[in-house]
Amino acid sequence: MAVALVEVTTTTRSLLMRDMDNRINRLLTQEAEEFAGFEERGKDPETGRSFASADRLLTVFLQQQNPDADEELIGLVRGADGDLAQIRQQGGIGAGLPLYRDADAKRRIFDSPDSTGTLHRPQGEIRWAKVTVARAGAEPDAAFVVAIHPERERERVDTVFRSLLVISGVALLLTTGIAWVVAGRILRPVRVVRTAAAEITEQDLTRRIPVHGTDDIAALAETFNGMLDRLDRAFAAQREFVDDAGHELRTPITIVRGHLEVMGDDPAEREETVRLVTDELDRMSRIVEDLLVLAKTERPDFVVPEPAQVAELTADVFVKARTLGERDWRLAEVADVEAELDFQRITQAMVQLAQNAVQHTTPGETIRIGSRTAGPHLELYVADSGPGVQPQDAEIIFERFRRGTSRRGARGSGAGLGLAIVKAIAEGHHGRVRLSDTPGGGATFTLVLPAPQVPEGHHT
Ligand SMILES: Nc1ncnc2c1ncn2[C@@H]1O[C@H](COP(=O)(O)OP(=O)(O)OP(=O)(O)O)[C@@H](O)[C@H]1O
Ligand SMILES: [Mg+2]
């Protein structure tokens, strides 16, 4: 705005100056033409004929004139001695030395070959026009001179220019003030959001930014609130996880301590205590291991898929599962394909499922393990013939530390991490875990993996 105002002001000044120049030029021509016309057609009022002398012509003409301010009309007549005599008329001369008192300037104008010009004097500039009074054949010995002193006019333009500058300055200050206030108003909601955001991170995550209206700021606040929601949930989940983990780990510690405190000297009792304590410690280390696995699930290298023989994997799982308990283990079917998957992790998941199956069956009951391809999916399953999963438990058992409602043998079973790990492994393969009923009773857990099949011939 400052640049624009300076531009406007200086342009105005130069326009005014040009205007003034034009006006002076017009005035000079007009006066000169008027005199020329008078010289040609004018009659001496006393004789009724043409003027007898230049002196008389100039005198009569000048008597009729009424010059403006800063304007001088002078008739110059050269005498026999070469001196210049003058007849004059002038308006109020505001600035500088009047021409009629400046003999040197008069001479320069009189002798100038031009009919118009500008005289730069230390006592002020003069714009002039001249009409020589020519007597036929004779050397011009008289002239009519119009002189204008532009100084005062120029000062007026400068005054206008200065007031424009002042007005511009005031306008600039005003607009700056207004812009300041308006910008402050526009930015106030942003400031509110910012302060609220700052307070929230410093305090707790339950606070939210107030949302007013439907503008961009409101949208920003809403987005921010949404982000806070997610953060809040994530932190809550983390806190819950730590709480649960702590709780699960404290229980075995309490039990071990209890056993050790009441242990007597009886060798049989000692043996029993050692067995119980070892059991608890085993359980504890299992929980710690599972927790470590769960903690890793967010890492990108949690699952590293590589081409693997599904048949080999299924057989491997079957062999491992058989060591888990006296059950009627059956290798139901085997998919003889190669697929991109993490051999170790899938085995781990299947063993967890087999472990659960053992926990929910009695010796001699049937547990079937198998793998098959179904469309683009690869399915690996463990089907037991136990009591199955209660419908109300179907969702929650996949969450960590969650166990079903109909649990066999309160102690000895795990912390509820197994299925959470299985789910994490399936999702790491972009797959899922499907829970269905085994025909004839029992639960079937299936890993459904969109394992891309490696083309035949890739075998080594
Ligand atoms: N084969 C199954 N038949 C019936 N219920 C099952 C079966 N597998 C799991 N469940 C139910 O799901 C719950 C969660 O299983 P999960 O494997 O996550 O935990 P867990 O076996 O209790 O403990 P962990 O596996 O950590 O040792 C179990 O407590 C049980 O109620
Ligand atoms: Mg389990």
Side-chain angles (χ1 to χ4, degrees):
M1 183 150 182
V3 170
L5 283 175
V6 166
E7 189 82 0
V8 165
T9 319
T10 48
T11 311
T12 309
R13 180 175 189 269
S14 58
L15 280 178
L16 285 176
M17 283 294 185
R18 208 166 63 197
D19 200 42
M20 184 193 80
D21 263 9
N22 289 341
R23 228 171 32 234
I24 289 174
N25 283 340
R26 246 192 343 265
L27 200 62
L28 288 175
T29 346
Q30 192 187 317
E31 299 283 12
E33 275 170 2
E34 198 181 327
F35 176 75
F38 185 80
E39 184 188 11
E40 215 168 281
R41 289 180 296 275
K43 298 270 185 274
D44 192 329
E46 281 177 14
T47 60
R49 302 225 217 110
S50 295
F51 288 99
S53 70
D55 200 27
R56 180 78 188 139
L57 167 71
L58 288 167
T59 311
V60 172
F61 177 74
L62 285 174
Q63 271 166 4
Q64 300 170 3
Q65 296 306 306
N66 195 12
D68 292 346
D70 291 323
E71 187 185 16
E72 289 180 72
L73 303 175
I74 302 178
L76 295 174
V77 181
R78 201 200 300 271
D81 51 1
D83 279 354
L84 280 176
Q86 66 177 353
I87 310 131
R88 60 187 170 87
Q89 276 279 19
Q90 81 272 341
I93 307 301
L97 179 67
L99 180 61
Y100 71 87
R101 285 207 261 136
D102 190 342
D104 177 52
K106 276 186 288 191
R107 187 166 299 282
R108 271 159 68 194
I109 292 172
F110 190 79
D111 292 339
S112 167
D114 302 326
S115 64
T116 177
T118 306
L119 210 59
H120 299 282
R121 308 173 307 166
Q123 303 95 339
E125 189 184 316
I126 287 177
R127 302 279 307 275
W128 57 266
K130 176 179 74 169
V131 181
T132 47
V133 182
R135 292 278 142 265
E139 172 94 337
D141 57 356
F144 168 71
V145 172
V146 193
I148 289 173
H149 300 260
E151 223 54 55
R152 234 187 347 191
E153 184 79 6
R154 202 163 279 159
E155 261 164 35
R156 263 200 292 280
V157 170
D158 275 336
T159 314
V160 171
F161 174 65
R162 270 194 301 276
S163 5
L164 265 182
L165 270 187
V166 171
I167 291 167
S168 297
V170 171
L172 195 63
L173 282 181
L174 261 177
T175 29
T176 306
I178 291 168
W180 184 275
V181 170
V182 170
R185 280 210 178 165
I186 291 173
L187 291 180
R188 193 161 51 210
V190 177
R191 228 174 1 248
V192 168
V193 168
R194 208 209 63 202
T195 353
E199 275 172 19
I200 285 165
T201 33
E202 278 162 19
Q203 298 174 358
D204 61 339
L205 287 168
T206 53
R207 277 197 49 190
R208 291 293 175 271
I209 298 166
V211 178
H212 306 294
T214 52
D215 53 4
D216 281 348
I217 303 294
L220 174 71
E222 249 164 43
T223 314
F224 195 83
N225 283 345
M227 201 181 75
L228 282 175
D229 283 345
R230 286 196 297 281
L231 260 185
D232 201 11
R233 276 201 299 277
F235 277 126
Q238 203 180 35
R239 271 196 302 276
E240 199 182 309
F241 181 75
V242 171
D243 281 355
D244 291 345
H247 179 75
E248 288 299 329
L249 290 173
R250 218 163 18 237
T251 315
I253 291 172
T254 316
I255 291 170
V256 166
R257 169 179 298 240
H259 281 306
L260 291 178
E261 272 172 3
V262 300
M263 188 174 66
D265 289 338
D266 180 18
E269 194 191 327
R270 279 184 162 238
E271 203 178 310
E272 173 66 3
T273 305
V274 167
R275 194 184 62 77
L276 285 171
V277 164
T278 313
D279 252 19
E280 276 315 311
L281 289 179
D282 280 349
R283 194 174 115 80
M284 208 166 132
S285 70
R286 228 177 35 243
I287 293 174
V288 169
E289 252 159 52
D290 286 352
L291 280 175
L292 285 177
V293 172
L294 270 180
K296 268 186 224 154
T297 56
E298 297 301 317
R299 294 224 300 244
D301 63 346
F302 174 60
V303 162
V304 185
E306 275 169 359
Q309 301 297 330
V310 178
E312 188 187 326
L313 187 147
T314 318
D316 236 48
V317 169
F318 182 68
V319 170
K320 285 196 171 120
R322 279 214 296 204
T323 64
L324 294 174
E326 280 295 315
R327 301 288 184 276
D328 178 15
W329 294 100
R330 296 202 188 149
L331 188 56
E333 54 185 322
V334 172
D336 190 13
V337 291
E338 198 177 48
E340 282 273 335
L341 45 80
D342 189 323
F343 197 100
Q344 304 299 330
R345 291 286 181 219
I346 295 291
T347 308
Q348 186 180 14
M350 290 296 280
V351 169
Q352 286 280 6
L353 291 176
Q355 182 108 44
N356 280 354
V358 170
Q359 275 165 10
H360 294 88
T361 47
T362 49
E365 279 187 283
T366 307
I367 302 176
R368 285 161 44 243
I369 291 177
S371 60
R372 61 168 171 254
T373 52
H377 298 296
L378 173 66
E379 297 186 347
L380 295 132
Y381 59 88
V382 176
D384 66 45
S385 47
V389 178
Q390 306 278 324
Q392 75 268 20
D393 294 344
E395 286 298 319
I396 63 150
I397 55 173
F398 289 100
E399 290 169 27
R400 60 189 178 215
F401 299 115
R402 296 297 287 269
R403 306 183 190 94
T405 39
S406 63
R407 193 152 52 101
R408 287 188 183 186
R411 295 256 69 239
S413 67
L417 295 173
L419 285 179
I421 291 173
V422 174
K423 187 176 167 220
I425 290 173
E427 281 168 1
H429 285 83
H430 306 291
R432 62 192 175 87
V433 189
R434 189 175 66 210
L435 168 59
S436 51
D437 291 332
T438 311
T444 300
F445 288 87
T446 310
L447 295 180
V448 185
L449 308 176
Q453 270 152 52
V454 178
E456 217 48 46
H458 188 81
H459 294 259
T460 49

